[in-house]
Amino acid sequence: MQTDHADAALDAVLARLNAALGNKDIDAVARLFQEECYWRDLVLFTWNLRTLEGHGQIRDMLEHQLAQVEPVRFGRDARETVSDEAGLLQGWIEIETNTARGYGHIRVKDGRIWTLLTTMSELKGHEEPSGVRRPKGAEHGSSRTRQSWLEKREQEAAELGYQTQPYVLIIGGGQGGIALAARLRQLDVPAIIIEKNERAGDSWRKRYKSLCLHDPVWYDHLPYIPFPENWPIFAPKDKIGDWLEMYTKIMELNYWTSSVCQSARYDEQRGEWEVTVLREGKPVVLRPKQLVLATGMSGKPNIPSFPGQDEFQGEQHHSSRHPGPDAYSGKNVVVIGANNSAHDICAALWEAGANVTMVQRSSTHIVRSDTLMDIGLGGLYSEQALANGMTTRKADLTFASLPYKIMAQFQIPLYDQMRERDAGFYAKLEAAGFMLDWGDDGSGLFMKYLRRGSGYYIDVGACDLIIDGSIKLQSRTDVSHLTRDAVVLKSGVHLPADLVVYATGYGSMNGWAADLISREVADKVGKCWGLGSDTTKDPGPWEGEQRNMWKPTQQEALWFHGGNLHQSRHYSQYLSLQLKARQVGLPVQVYGLQEVHHQR
């Protein structure tokens, strides 16, 4: 279809949608959608993150929410091209409600809507001071009471948390907390980040020395400040640490280092938290209205319990505490686990001259880095994507526009291509005894990440060491017990060990809520992460969105923010707007508050 005809076809669909919404004819709105249809809303209509599946769910949402957001207008973004390929009409849309402006994406089949994405971009009257609204900075004229920028910053830093209270307290100063605080700063929401380490970025610096990003640079930008064009594709951990530290200064974040949150309690009557923080050895009581746990999507380290751990005479620690390989040259090391951290740690130990054995207790999905970048990410996050006009914002929204319910069916063909391209590589891995999988349904890495956040390795070289035997492998078995100097497997194999590394993953983020607040609150909120896909480590029922992430929870004024750099960047926008709306007293009516089906 020619561009003008495609534009007209999309305009006609949007005109019918606007008319039905204007007439408050909810049944007419539903009839504009295919029988199999999906409306993914990020805050704009629901004040929540919700995917509505089918006419019934769309009707129910509009019956509850339309009166709160009307008048509503959908319009085609005239700056973007409407595509029409194989009968599928796709376009970018601008949306306006009575309180907000939004942006989204639409897919239309046979004149009816198949998928609809609506996202909140800004709150009316509370727009970010950017572009034509950017602050002047310099204060022209003369005044005897003038304060310099530095004096204002120093006064703010001295008073916030003492004479004045933050509206939002963010526990955790990694990329998630930093990205959210940057968004809140631009929205004029007073916030403090609490970080236990001595410097911003230490959560990266203090990990094992071979750690680097396995996601490419185009996927990993922070809000407002993209990485420079000469930034490496896969950044080493210390370089990321320095970037985060720089970012906190440039973005003027209130970042409390060497600070530990000791306890938190929600005061129902006052509508605020009472949080005790030990800052540089001195207790401080903070009273924020909103509390955000940005302690990492992975949650608390998951350390297995095996008989004999108390008798073992060597070292043992979780992968999150692994200092690196330097002290273990010539030593016997057993690494329990076979996912990203396990591979990275094993490879670094081998390079340092250790005798290292990987114990693989369950199957792992492997994808080679170059292949993933080419087939899995290249269309959205690459130099070629940029050349084709695919900005970071558009890439994020394109990815978000595909509902999780049908995402797997789009991923399966991509991973079939990867399996075919690297068939010889996989044959060698299996011949070495490695247990491979492609996800429960063959949908590969991204779905595994979204469903369970574990179970995969992006290969940057460790697999070749397994194939040639440099990293020894014990698979199809588990640990029976530890002795004074060895790990004994259920297969009967004794592995001499000076060090045992538990690369055994992490628990749910609400484990931090149990530690900081109470087990009761943690169970009230329930498990974080996962879609309810009823696949391995992601029990049903189906949720359609990440459990409890970036949205209201069953505990008033408690939020969870985490994920990789991409998610920290993208979803911090929606969390910051939800917090801003509450700060300024906008009428917020949440639709479809997350139910609790799993507590841990």
Side-chain angles (χ1 to χ4, degrees):
M1 183 182 290
Q2 295 180 352
T3 300
D4 290 346
H5 290 164
D7 290 351
L10 182 54
D11 287 341
V13 171
L14 297 177
R16 291 194 291 273
L17 180 58
N18 285 330
L21 289 167
N23 293 330
K24 303 179 186 178
D25 190 341
I26 292 173
D27 287 335
V29 173
R31 288 194 297 270
L32 294 174
F33 286 78
Q34 293 277 336
E35 289 301 317
E36 181 206 1
C37 59
Y38 306 90
W39 181 345
R40 188 177 190 212
D41 182 67
L42 304 183
V43 183
L44 188 62
F45 281 77
T46 60
W47 289 106
N48 202 347
L49 275 62
R50 292 282 299 185
T51 298
L52 312 161
E53 302 174 2
H55 290 184
Q57 291 188 14
I58 290 172
R59 283 196 195 94
D60 189 71
M61 185 275 285
L62 290 174
E63 286 170 357
H64 284 86
Q65 301 298 108
L66 184 56
Q68 302 295 315
V69 298
E70 64 176 353
V72 179
R73 184 188 176 280
F74 284 79
R76 173 173 56 87
D77 183 352
R79 299 163 296 182
E80 298 288 346
T81 300
V82 177
S83 70
D84 190 354
E85 298 179 10
L88 183 64
L89 192 70
Q90 297 190 67
W92 295 100
I93 54 177
E94 298 172 317
I95 314 114
E96 190 164 332
T97 71
N98 60 2
T99 59
R101 298 178 190 90
Y103 200 73
H105 185 273
I106 190 169
R107 294 181 179 90
V108 179
K109 293 193 295 188
D110 301 323
R112 297 167 73 193
I113 302 167
W114 178 36
T115 71
L116 178 63
L117 171 71
T118 52
T119 76
M120 184 180 288
S121 300
E122 60 185 8
L123 293 164
K124 292 179 179 178
H126 305 284
E127 296 84 357
E128 292 188 5
S130 61
V132 296
R133 294 187 296 269
R134 71 169 72 232
K136 181 178 285 188
E139 295 183 21
H140 296 158
S142 301
S143 172
R144 288 180 173 173
T145 60
R146 185 202 305 270
Q147 281 185 300
S148 69
W149 170 85
L150 179 60
E151 289 169 333
K152 290 178 182 177
R153 279 291 295 134
E154 288 176 340
Q155 181 178 349
E156 178 188 17
E159 293 180 354
L160 189 62
Y162 298 93
Q163 284 87 359
T164 61
Q165 289 297 315
Y167 183 76
V168 178
L169 185 65
I170 302 169
I171 309 298
Q175 67 252 17
I178 287 171
L180 177 60
R183 301 269 193 194
L184 293 171
R185 181 82 182 180
Q186 298 309 302
L187 290 169
D188 196 27
V189 178
I192 293 175
I193 301 171
I194 300 298
E195 170 57 44
K196 64 182 179 181
N197 287 307
E198 295 82 11
R199 294 168 60 194
D202 275 354
S203 56
W204 284 87
R205 292 189 193 92
K206 291 187 175 183
R207 297 292 303 279
Y208 53 91
K209 77 174 187 179
S210 62
L211 176 66
C212 67
L213 286 175
H214 291 326
D215 299 321
V217 62
W218 307 279
Y219 187 73
D220 292 330
H221 298 300
L222 289 176
Y224 310 113
I225 308 178
F227 291 115
E229 291 188 4
N230 63 349
W231 195 262
I233 294 174
F234 302 108
K237 69 178 183 71
D238 295 285
K239 196 170 179 67
I240 288 292
D242 288 348
W243 181 263
L244 293 176
E245 186 172 36
M246 177 280 298
Y247 188 92
T248 63
K249 295 177 181 178
I250 296 299
M251 297 305 293
E252 303 177 21
L253 307 185
N254 295 297
Y255 194 99
W256 286 14
T257 56
S258 301
S259 301
V260 178
C261 179
Q262 294 184 308
S263 65
R265 180 184 68 86
Y266 189 64
D267 189 325
E268 299 280 352
Q269 291 186 332
R270 297 170 65 100
E272 65 185 25
W273 291 91
E274 181 183 288
V275 184
T276 301
V277 173
L278 196 64
R279 186 186 188 192
E280 298 177 339
K282 298 179 181 179
V284 182
V285 177
L286 299 173
R287 300 186 183 277
K289 297 295 184 182
Q290 309 288 337
L291 181 65
V292 180
L293 299 188
T295 47
M297 175 277 289
S298 299
K300 296 183 64 179
N302 188 8
I303 302 175
S305 177
F306 299 124
Q309 284 174 313
D310 56 341
E311 300 174 14
F312 182 67
Q313 297 298 299
E315 293 182 63
Q316 50 184 325
H317 51 238
H318 190 265
S319 58
S320 60
R321 301 292 183 185
H322 183 61
D326 294 348
Y328 305 106
S329 178
K331 303 287 189 179
N332 293 315
V333 183
V334 177
V335 178
I336 312 297
N339 296 331
N340 261 338
S341 293
H343 280 82
D344 285 348
I345 290 170
C346 284
L349 286 163
W350 175 83
E351 288 180 347
N355 176 34
V356 59
T357 301
M358 175 188 289
V359 177
Q360 185 188 27
R361 303 184 298 164
S362 59
S363 62
T364 307
H365 171 56
I366 304 288
V367 59
R368 302 183 87 173
S369 177
D370 289 347
T371 304
L372 177 66
M373 286 181 60
D374 184 17
I375 297 175
L377 288 171
L380 295 180
Y381 302 98
S382 67
E383 211 64 44
Q384 186 59 51
L386 283 175
N388 293 337
M390 182 60 71
T391 63
T392 302
R393 177 174 182 253
K394 192 189 295 187
D396 289 349
L397 290 168
T398 300
F399 193 75
S401 73
L402 201 59
Y404 292 133
K405 186 76 169 182
I406 58 175
M407 186 176 285
Q409 70 189 55
F410 284 82
Q411 293 290 305
I412 290 170
L414 300 179
Y415 285 88
D416 285 344
Q417 290 181 50
M418 297 182 203
R419 179 161 31 187
E420 183 177 353
R421 174 183 291 192
D422 296 326
F425 164 76
Y426 291 116
K428 292 176 184 177
L429 258 182
E430 290 187 305
F434 197 88
M435 296 186 291
L436 289 169
D437 73 60
W438 292 81
D440 287 16
D441 53 2
S443 59
L445 186 146
F446 283 120
M447 295 312 301
K448 261 203 167 187
Y449 174 72
L450 293 167
R451 290 166 173 170
R452 53 183 281 194
S454 65
Y456 51 83
Y457 169 56
I458 301 174
D459 179 39
V460 292
C463 286
D464 288 334
L465 297 175
I466 294 172
I467 289 169
D468 69 17
S470 298
I471 296 173
K472 299 175 179 62
L473 177 68
Q474 292 288 332
S475 63
R476 296 175 175 81
T477 187
D478 203 342
V479 175
S480 168
H481 62 279
L482 276 64
T483 66
R484 290 173 55 87
D485 58 3
V487 175
V488 181
L489 304 180
K490 290 183 178 179
S491 61
V493 173
H494 283 63
L495 299 173
D498 300 298
L499 166 68
V500 179
V501 180
Y502 299 108
T504 46
Y506 299 83
S508 172
M509 277 184 74
N510 68 330
W512 292 115
D515 286 353
L516 299 177
I517 309 169
S518 69
R519 183 77 255 174
E520 180 184 18
V521 166
D523 290 345
K524 179 181 178 181
V525 168
K527 179 180 172 68
C528 299
W529 207 260
L531 303 173
S533 62
D534 206 24
T535 58
T536 303
K537 296 189 178 181
D538 184 28
W542 176 248
E543 303 285 355
E545 292 287 341
Q546 297 286 352
R547 293 186 188 93
N548 284 317
M549 299 301 299
W550 317 295
K551 59 186 177 182
T553 68
Q554 292 287 348
Q555 172 57 55
E556 180 72 21
L558 178 64
W559 311 77
F560 293 87
H561 178 56
N564 57 29
L565 280 155
H566 158 261
Q567 290 170 308
S568 294
R569 172 187 68 246
H570 183 62
Y571 288 101
S572 60
Q573 174 181 335
Y574 310 118
L575 178 49
S576 66
L577 289 168
Q578 293 174 81
L579 293 167
K580 178 64 178 180
R582 286 162 172 79
Q583 182 212 16
V584 296
L586 291 178
V588 174
Q589 178 174 297
V590 176
Y591 174 78
L593 189 64
Q594 177 77 62
E595 295 182 15
V596 177
H597 300 289
H598 309 282
Q599 294 179 328
R600 323 244 170 126

